Amino acid sequence: MNKNEENFVKEITNIEENFAQWYTDIVIKADLADYTDTKGFVVIKPYGYAIWENIQQYTNDKFKKAGVKNIYLPLLIPENLLNKEKEHIEGFAPEVAWVTIGGQEELEEKLCIRPTSETMFSTLYSKWVKSWRDLPMVYNQWCNVLRWEKETRPFLRSREFLWQEGHTIHATATEAEARTQQMLNIYADIIENLLAIPVIKGRKTEKEKFSGAVATYTVETLMHDGRALQAGTSHYFGQNFTKPFEIKFQNKEGKEEYAYQTSWGFSTRLIGATIMAHGDNRGLKLPPRVAPIQAVIVPIAMQKEGVKEKAEELYNQLNIKYRMECDTRESYTPGYKFNDWEMRGIPVRIEIGPRDIENGECIFVRRDTSEKIRVKLDEIETKLGEVLEQIQQNMYNECKENMEKRTSIANNVDEFIEKINTNQGFIKTMWCGNEECENKIKELTGAHSRCIPFKKETVGDKCVCCGKPADTYVIWGRQY
Amino acid sequence: MNKNEENFVKEITNIEENFAQWYTDIVIKADLADYTDTKGFVVIKPYGYAIWENIQQYTNDKFKKAGVKNIYLPLLIPENLLNKEKEHIEGFAPEVAWVTIGGQEELEEKLCIRPTSETMFSTLYSKWVKSWRDLPMVYNQWCNVLRWEKETRPFLRSREFLWQEGHTIHATATEAEARTQQMLNIYADIIENLLAIPVIKGRKTEKEKFSGAVATYTVETLMHDGRALQAGTSHYFGQNFTKPFEIKFQNKEGKEEYAYQTSWGFSTRLIGATIMAHGDNRGLKLPPRVAPIQAVIVPIAMQKEGVKEKAEELYNQLNIKYRMECDTRESYTPGYKFNDWEMRGIPVRIEIGPRDIENGECIFVRRDTSEKIRVKLDEIETKLGEVLEQIQQNMYNECKENMEKRTSIANNVDEFIEKINTNQGFIKTMWCGNEECENKIKELTGAHSRCIPFKKETVGDKCVCCGKPADTYVIWGRQY
């Protein structure tokens, strides 16, 4: 590490010493988000928002192919609607914000800012659904929601966040169940293929499922420090909402039936996950497919004739196919620029100076491995595509290795505690299915059950907590 | 009009008899929006939302080229921030919704749901702007805002609406002023070239300008019934916000200066404008460039062998380049389908039956002119592009003719009243510049001043109201 680099890097807390502070440093210094005068609310800055826009674009493509249509519902929900499904309101009441004054007058009925929109969708579906011909309805909205969290952190836990919430309604339980799985698979695709983070797919336990759901499915991820992050969930509601909301349809036989519902969502937490899964001591590290800037050109000895021009020429050539930046700022040295762009997580840096131009080449520097690659200028376009793809794959693999390294098996409470304390990460256990055991593990270890994975494994035959015979395989972890 | 068509059309109020009811009929029956259980709030349904997404995409392209970066700010603004600029709070206080309870506790300071975000941007800029090197900042957000309107109508006036709000900050007044104009020109481009609605660009009078602005620029449009609609505005703030919010920067000479600001926005009202500018007695009529479905294929005698297959083959061929639909519903007759898709405003209907297939052709039916065009199947791709382009142009021209036909000159109050009552539309006048005259005209005619157009005209030499010498040219109209 040269001196320039040292100066730069010392502004960022060491990732192994204080991961939480490292995270905040990155969020602020890489210009992803900032605090605001509204307590618990952040501003998502252009660089952070561009990541979100890339996630949205990728998702909308997948959604469209899966027959999902975008829609927009009201921000405010009358109190009586929110109260209609008992478990749902019990889950959300403590963290809702209420509008009580509108247009200088006290409202007759207070309105909550949506914490999620099951109730609003349900009341609309009760109006729209009449016959089996109207089904299914597969709608999604991109919107803001509010949950009055006590402790907040940018992207991870914020009083307001952006998300997509899909809500569907079907004629049969089988079709609704299948939709829940279909959307969970799309989430796994987004997180693995776009964000380069491996996931574990599974079902939440009764205790951890969504308020009002019959079943909640989840994609679970592991961060650099071994804490788990729930990256997206998909809920099967059965008729839990269609009954109180009276969503009935006439089936093909002319008989009235209650319909079946699902909902599924992920949020701007995914930006937090991307930071925490990949970042290192030099800062943010973005997977090429989601990076707002995929490569930055830094001219060397820019004062020399033709250098700046050549850099700009390359920029114009590459910017058609890739998301590029060309750093021709005059008040900074190349060394400063290198560190600056590394900190911002740009996958590839392209250095070009007078001698390179003479030789008809340039240097690629990979953000993930620091590897330097000499590239012929007439091959630059194809080569950049190849290197970006290699980085994407390598970042996924590194993340997967970290997950595997940080996954242990525990057969009893002592083993559980020892393993999670010495190698924080996923703990695989058997579980008897009793909520008391689940609570006890949480109390003793600080770990929540993450899910009952779809991919079954047998890691023993006794409950990790009570030692009774057990055949449910559960993964646990401390969580964000 | 055949019987089928009659039955269908009679559900829509006649456009010349009751334009307001016609509008509501279209919004509901074409599935653009619907009412909800939250009073004054609508749901934007998938077909309406897809129009908005097309507007967003076109706009984001233009914005990007103009150096605009997207960002996301908090939904809630503390009361003290909103109060900082005197004129601004006076303008917005009456129509704000307040959050007073969060997480089951009374808030110490109430928070308003953003009616617009000048104050939040200003407080962030005061933190972010330090030196001339940081300037300009050219940020935009796509978001929801709330204004507690008493009377609401879908898209036109709703308590919640979606919009984009751009907020910029500059080192000089000249640069800020130029940005205001640049964005107004982009708005004119969007409205004329995407939505096929001609605009008049100009400056708002002092009375009609935005609360807190030095100057407000506007793009004004005219609807089918001769009412005006303000389609987008761009505000120059000078230092009106930078002073109370203490947004100072160090200039190149090392001296502290207050910066200069602008803001500019348009909203989902543009969907309302598109409906009202182009629709007719058969329903919605969408300009091809913004239409979610540009052409629909309706197979004739679908039970005959090979017809459905051929229709689907054409769909697959055309759907790569155009936004297509293929209507193979079995429970409806072709006649019903024709009317259904006409009502939804699809620019081109493609009919294909057994005889057409034999002849290697199909029929295009234009939504704008009802013209039938016989098209060879091997030319269908190019031909569709051409016809869509012709429809786009023709819709713009028709709209422009309507505007011209509905524009009159008035030299005095009597003429003004007579003309606006016999031919509702834009009224061109001279004006002395006195606000009393402006108020009197409004009182007597129901017309607001729309703007002082950039394109000067001389339509007399006396104020339309007081008769004193006048050299300001103003356009008036009754408004949405």
Side-chain angles (χ1 to χ4, degrees):
Chain A
M1 208 182 271
N2 63 35
K3 202 169 165 220
N4 211 329
E5 202 169 330
E6 269 173 38
N7 282 337
F8 208 91
V9 164
K10 75 180 174 194
E11 292 172 22
I12 298 172
T13 306
N14 188 291
I15 194 169
E16 308 302 342
E17 280 168 19
N18 186 342
F19 190 69
Q21 187 57 46
W22 170 88
Y23 177 78
T24 310
D25 286 353
I26 300 298
V27 166
I28 301 298
K29 287 187 205 297
D31 245 359
L32 298 168
D34 203 353
Y35 299 100
T36 70
D37 280 19
T38 314
K39 199 181 158 242
F41 288 65
V42 299
V43 46
I44 305 180
K45 295 189 78 175
Y47 193 46
Y49 197 77
I51 297 175
W52 185 238
E53 287 182 310
N54 287 342
I55 295 174
Q56 285 187 300
Q57 201 179 355
Y58 187 93
T59 305
N60 270 330
D61 275 1
K62 301 282 167 190
F63 278 8
K64 204 174 169 185
K65 283 179 192 135
V68 178
K69 289 182 174 172
N70 287 337
I71 190 169
Y72 187 77
L73 269 62
L75 173 72
L76 302 184
I77 302 173
E79 188 176 20
N80 78 80
L81 275 194
L82 195 69
N83 289 347
K84 272 197 180 176
E85 208 286 331
K86 199 174 144 287
E87 277 183 31
H88 188 69
I89 179 65
E90 278 171 12
F92 282 103
E95 50 182 37
V96 155
W98 294 99
V99 175
T100 59
I101 304 167
Q104 295 179 313
E105 276 171 33
E106 194 86 21
L107 300 180
E108 279 176 35
E109 180 181 12
K110 62 184 181 184
L111 304 167
C112 88
I113 299 183
R114 60 180 163 222
T116 178
S117 302
E118 275 73 14
T119 55
M120 187 52 81
F121 268 99
S122 294
T123 173
L124 288 168
Y125 283 147
S126 74
K127 184 173 169 185
W128 293 339
V129 172
K130 283 168 190 141
S131 138
W132 61 272
R133 283 185 196 84
D134 302 324
L135 296 173
M137 289 186 186
V138 181
Y139 295 160
N140 170 65
Q141 71 174 346
W142 293 97
C143 66
N144 53 346
V145 287
L146 250 75
R147 297 184 190 171
W148 216 256
E149 306 281 357
K150 290 213 168 62
E151 301 212 1
T152 62
R153 294 180 72 188
F155 300 122
L156 296 181
R157 197 170 290 279
S158 189
R159 286 188 173 170
E160 180 184 16
F161 55 89
L162 304 181
W163 78 344
Q164 63 67 218
E165 48 175 326
H167 296 261
T168 71
I169 186 145
H170 305 266
T172 66
T174 319
E175 192 186 290
E177 268 279 7
R179 174 57 71 169
T180 336
Q181 298 301 323
Q182 182 184 11
M183 300 320 291
L184 195 76
N185 286 332
I186 290 181
Y187 288 174
D189 172 349
I190 295 163
I191 297 157
E192 296 201 320
N193 295 321
L194 183 68
L195 306 182
I197 305 171
V199 304
I200 292 173
K201 291 188 276 185
R203 188 162 60 80
K204 286 282 181 191
T205 60
E206 285 301 298
K207 175 182 156 64
E208 297 288 338
K209 74 179 190 192
F210 184 80
S211 317
V214 170
T216 290
Y217 304 99
T218 180
V219 273
E220 295 289 328
T221 59
L222 202 70
M223 301 296 101
H224 176 85
D225 66 339
R227 276 190 191 259
L229 187 139
Q230 172 182 304
T233 48
S234 185
H235 315 293
Y236 172 60
F237 290 122
Q239 298 175 322
N240 284 0
F241 284 86
T242 59
K243 285 184 176 171
F245 281 89
E246 289 283 323
I247 313 179
K248 289 188 236 177
F249 69 99
Q250 216 167 41
N251 66 20
K252 285 188 184 173
E253 289 74 43
K255 266 177 60 183
E256 275 212 330
E257 261 192 80
Y258 288 106
Y260 298 83
Q261 259 175 310
T262 82
S263 83
W264 21 275
F266 70 72
S267 74
T268 36
R269 279 198 116 190
L270 288 187
I271 301 174
T274 308
I275 301 168
M276 293 199 301
H278 299 299
D280 61 21
N281 270 326
R282 283 176 298 143
L284 186 64
K285 198 202 282 177
L286 288 176
R289 291 190 196 144
V290 81
I293 302 166
Q294 298 178 303
V296 58
I297 302 170
V298 181
I300 314 290
M302 208 169 61
Q303 72 290 356
K304 294 268 172 73
E305 206 193 314
V307 175
K308 193 175 163 187
E309 291 67 22
K310 190 68 194 174
E312 279 163 353
E313 187 194 315
L314 286 179
Y315 170 82
N316 289 327
Q317 181 194 345
L318 296 172
N319 197 43
I320 297 164
K321 204 165 159 193
Y322 307 102
R323 299 186 289 271
M324 300 293 299
E325 185 76 46
C326 184
D327 188 351
T328 54
R329 287 178 294 176
E330 292 187 358
S331 32
Y332 298 97
T333 64
Y336 178 92
K337 291 178 184 178
F338 294 173
N339 294 324
D340 191 22
W341 295 112
E342 282 195 348
M343 192 266 288
R344 286 167 197 266
I346 317 298
V348 172
R349 176 173 80 236
I350 301 177
E351 301 175 8
I352 185 152
R355 203 174 319 162
D356 303 308
I357 298 173
E358 245 172 62
N359 298 335
E361 5 175 271
C362 65
I363 311 278
F364 282 8
V365 185
R366 281 175 65 158
R367 172 67 180 83
D368 60 335
T369 58
S370 299
E371 189 191 348
K372 293 192 170 201
I373 308 161
R374 200 165 286 279
V375 175
K376 288 274 163 216
L377 290 183
D378 52 15
E379 291 170 1
I380 193 168
E381 239 178 274
T382 348
K383 193 68 189 171
L384 181 54
E386 285 167 22
V387 171
L388 289 173
E389 204 41 44
Q390 285 160 13
I391 296 173
Q392 182 82 27
Q393 289 314 321
N394 181 52
M395 285 180 68
Y396 177 83
N397 293 341
E398 281 193 349
C399 204
K400 187 153 194 180
E401 268 169 43
N402 181 55
M403 186 171 96
E404 281 160 7
K405 208 178 61 193
R406 286 183 174 278
T407 300
S408 323
I409 294 171
N411 291 297
N412 54 52
V413 174
D414 288 345
E415 267 183 43
F416 196 122
I417 293 173
E418 194 233 314
K419 287 193 172 159
I420 204 160
N421 287 341
T422 53
N423 182 28
Q424 183 165 274
F426 285 139
I427 308 288
K428 298 175 169 183
T429 75
M430 299 312 282
W431 173 53
C432 63
N434 197 321
E435 202 165 306
E436 266 174 50
C437 285
E438 192 180 0
N439 288 333
K440 200 167 160 196
I441 289 286
K442 193 189 143 192
E443 207 179 292
L444 294 172
T445 69
H448 288 73
S449 72
R450 306 313 312 157
C451 67
I452 300 161
F454 292 156
K455 207 172 147 191
K456 300 262 167 266
E457 266 187 60
T458 307
V459 293
D461 55 8
K462 294 194 189 71
C463 175
V464 65
C465 187
C466 64
K468 288 184 191 151
D471 59 3
T472 305
Y473 164 56
V474 175
I475 286 192
W476 309 75
R478 291 178 181 149
Q479 73 182 18
Y480 275 103
Chain B
M1 211 181 270
N2 64 34
K3 202 169 166 224
N4 211 327
E5 201 170 332
E6 268 173 37
N7 282 337
F8 208 93
V9 164
K10 78 181 171 193
E11 291 171 22
I12 297 171
T13 305
N14 187 290
I15 193 168
E16 309 303 342
E17 279 167 19
N18 186 343
F19 189 70
Q21 188 56 46
W22 170 89
Y23 176 78
T24 310
D25 288 352
I26 300 297
V27 166
I28 302 298
K29 286 187 205 298
D31 246 358
L32 298 168
D34 202 354
Y35 299 100
T36 71
D37 281 19
T38 313
K39 198 179 159 242
F41 287 65
V42 299
V43 46
I44 305 181
K45 296 188 78 177
Y47 193 46
Y49 196 77
I51 297 174
W52 185 238
E53 287 181 310
N54 288 341
I55 294 174
Q56 285 187 301
Q57 200 179 358
Y58 187 93
T59 304
N60 270 331
D61 274 1
K62 301 282 168 191
F63 277 8
K64 204 173 169 186
K65 283 179 193 136
V68 178
K69 288 182 173 171
N70 288 338
I71 190 169
Y72 187 76
L73 270 61
L75 172 72
L76 302 183
I77 303 173
E79 189 175 21
N80 79 79
L81 274 194
L82 196 70
N83 288 347
K84 272 198 180 175
E85 207 288 330
K86 201 174 144 286
E87 277 183 31
H88 188 68
I89 180 65
E90 277 171 13
F92 282 102
E95 50 181 38
V96 156
W98 293 99
V99 174
T100 60
I101 304 167
Q104 297 180 310
E105 275 170 34
E106 194 87 19
L107 300 180
E108 278 175 35
E109 179 181 13
K110 62 184 181 183
L111 303 168
C112 89
I113 299 184
R114 61 182 163 221
T116 179
S117 303
E118 274 73 12
T119 54
M120 187 53 80
F121 268 99
S122 294
T123 173
L124 289 168
Y125 283 148
S126 75
K127 185 174 167 184
W128 294 339
V129 172
K130 281 167 193 144
S131 138
W132 62 271
R133 284 185 195 83
D134 301 324
L135 297 173
M137 289 187 186
V138 180
Y139 294 161
N140 170 65
Q141 72 174 345
W142 294 95
C143 66
N144 53 346
V145 287
L146 249 76
R147 297 185 188 171
W148 216 256
E149 306 282 357
K150 291 218 168 57
E151 301 213 0
T152 62
R153 294 181 73 188
F155 299 121
L156 296 179
R157 198 170 289 278
S158 190
R159 287 188 173 170
E160 179 185 16
F161 55 89
L162 303 181
W163 79 345
Q164 62 67 218
E165 50 176 324
H167 295 261
T168 70
I169 185 144
H170 306 264
T172 67
T174 319
E175 192 186 289
E177 267 279 7
R179 175 56 71 168
T180 337
Q181 298 300 322
Q182 181 185 10
M183 300 320 290
L184 196 76
N185 286 332
I186 290 181
Y187 288 174
D189 173 348
I190 295 163
I191 297 157
E192 296 201 321
N193 295 321
L194 183 69
L195 306 181
I197 307 171
V199 303
I200 292 174
K201 291 187 276 186
R203 188 163 60 80
K204 287 281 182 192
T205 61
E206 284 301 298
K207 176 181 155 64
E208 298 288 338
K209 75 178 187 192
F210 183 81
S211 317
V214 170
T216 290
Y217 304 100
T218 179
V219 274
E220 295 288 329
T221 59
L222 202 70
M223 302 294 101
H224 176 85
D225 66 339
R227 275 189 193 260
L229 186 139
Q230 174 183 303
T233 48
S234 186
H235 316 292
Y236 172 60
F237 290 123
Q239 299 174 322
N240 284 358
F241 284 86
T242 58
K243 285 185 175 169
F245 282 87
E246 290 282 325
I247 314 178
K248 289 188 236 176
F249 67 100
Q250 213 166 43
N251 66 19
K252 286 189 186 174
E253 289 75 42
K255 267 177 60 184
E256 276 214 326
E257 260 192 82
Y258 288 106
Y260 298 82
Q261 260 176 308
T262 81
S263 83
W264 23 274
F266 70 71
S267 75
T268 35
R269 279 199 114 188
L270 287 187
I271 302 175
T274 307
I275 302 167
M276 294 200 300
H278 298 299
D280 62 21
N281 269 327
R282 284 176 299 144
L284 186 64
K285 197 200 283 177
L286 288 176
R289 291 189 197 147
V290 81
I293 303 166
Q294 297 178 306
V296 58
I297 302 169
V298 181
I300 314 290
M302 206 168 60
Q303 73 291 358
K304 293 269 172 73
E305 205 193 315
V307 174
K308 194 175 162 188
E309 290 68 20
K310 189 69 195 174
E312 280 165 353
E313 185 193 316
L314 286 179
Y315 170 81
N316 289 327
Q317 181 193 345
L318 296 171
N319 197 42
I320 297 163
K321 204 165 158 192
Y322 307 103
R323 298 186 289 269
M324 299 294 300
E325 185 76 47
C326 183
D327 188 352
T328 54
R329 288 178 293 177
E330 291 186 356
S331 33
Y332 299 97
T333 64
Y336 178 91
K337 291 177 183 177
F338 293 173
N339 293 324
D340 191 23
W341 295 113
E342 282 195 347
M343 190 266 286
R344 285 168 198 267
I346 317 296
V348 172
R349 176 173 79 237
I350 302 177
E351 302 175 7
I352 184 150
R355 203 175 316 162
D356 302 308
I357 297 173
E358 247 172 61
N359 298 334
E361 18 176 78
C362 65
I363 310 278
F364 282 8
V365 185
R366 281 175 62 156
R367 172 66 181 84
D368 60 334
T369 58
S370 299
E371 189 191 348
K372 292 190 171 204
I373 308 161
R374 200 166 283 279
V375 175
K376 288 277 164 214
L377 290 182
D378 52 16
E379 291 171 2
I380 193 169
E381 240 178 273
T382 348
K383 192 69 189 173
L384 181 54
E386 284 167 23
V387 171
L388 289 172
E389 204 40 44
Q390 284 159 15
I391 295 172
Q392 182 81 28
Q393 289 314 322
N394 181 51
M395 285 181 69
Y396 177 84
N397 293 340
E398 280 192 350
C399 204
K400 186 151 195 181
E401 267 169 41
N402 181 55
M403 186 173 96
E404 280 162 6
K405 208 178 63 195
R406 286 183 174 278
T407 299
S408 323
I409 294 171
N411 290 297
N412 54 51
V413 174
D414 288 346
E415 267 183 42
F416 196 123
I417 293 172
E418 194 233 316
K419 289 193 169 159
I420 204 160
N421 287 341
T422 53
N423 182 28
Q424 183 166 275
F426 284 139
I427 308 288
K428 298 175 169 185
T429 75
M430 299 312 284
W431 172 52
C432 64
N434 196 323
E435 201 164 306
E436 268 173 48
C437 286
E438 192 180 358
N439 287 333
K440 201 167 161 194
I441 289 286
K442 192 189 144 192
E443 204 180 295
L444 294 171
T445 69
H448 288 74
S449 72
R450 307 311 314 158
C451 67
I452 301 161
F454 291 157
K455 207 173 147 191
K456 299 265 168 262
E457 266 187 58
T458 307
V459 293
D461 55 8
K462 293 195 190 70
C463 174
V464 65
C465 186
C466 65
K468 287 184 190 151
D471 58 4
T472 305
Y473 164 57
V474 175
I475 286 191
W476 309 73
R478 290 175 182 151
Q479 73 182 20
Y480 276 103

